[in-house]
Amino acid sequence: MGMKYAAAYLMAVLAGKEAPTAADLQKILESVEAEYDAEVAEKLVSELSGKTVHEVVAAGKEKLKGFGGGGGGGVAVAAAAGGGGGGGAAPVAAKEEKKVVEEE
């Protein structure tokens, strides 16, 4: 299932539809000239039937808590620290480019 179907479902809910139908998803997807597969849309609608989006999102958040953070945080901090030094060089290069543009 593509994310576009989930996105269309959420957009329909935000527009005020408590229980969007496959036809609602089709209308949204076709409005942006996206391909539409009725089977996929109907499967999504049937799986979410009787549930509110808020309940589904809350349940998903609870499931994601189990993932933790692992050891990836240390790498991100190191990358951010390294990126800070590189960030100083970028504005200098931008200033040099501006001077060239002004001379022309």
Side-chain angles (χ1 to χ4, degrees):
M1 175 184 322
M3 289 296 294
K4 64 184 176 185
Y5 294 94
Y9 190 93
L10 291 172
M11 288 182 358
V13 170
L14 287 173
K17 280 278 207 179
E18 289 184 28
T21 63
D24 295 326
L25 302 184
Q26 181 178 11
K27 185 176 179 181
I28 291 169
L29 292 173
E30 288 179 349
S31 73
V32 294
E33 299 178 3
E35 292 182 18
Y36 174 77
D37 184 350
E39 185 178 316
V40 174
E42 289 170 8
K43 180 180 178 187
L44 175 67
V45 170
S46 69
E47 288 181 10
L48 294 175
S49 178
K51 301 175 185 175
T52 66
V53 171
H54 305 294
E55 292 171 349
V56 174
V57 170
K61 284 177 128 178
E62 288 300 316
K63 289 179 183 178
L64 288 175
K65 286 182 181 178
F67 281 101
V75 174
V77 171
V92 173
K95 289 180 182 177
E96 291 176 15
E97 290 178 3
K98 287 181 182 178
K99 288 179 184 177
V100 172
V101 173
E102 291 174 5
E103 290 175 333
E104 290 179 13

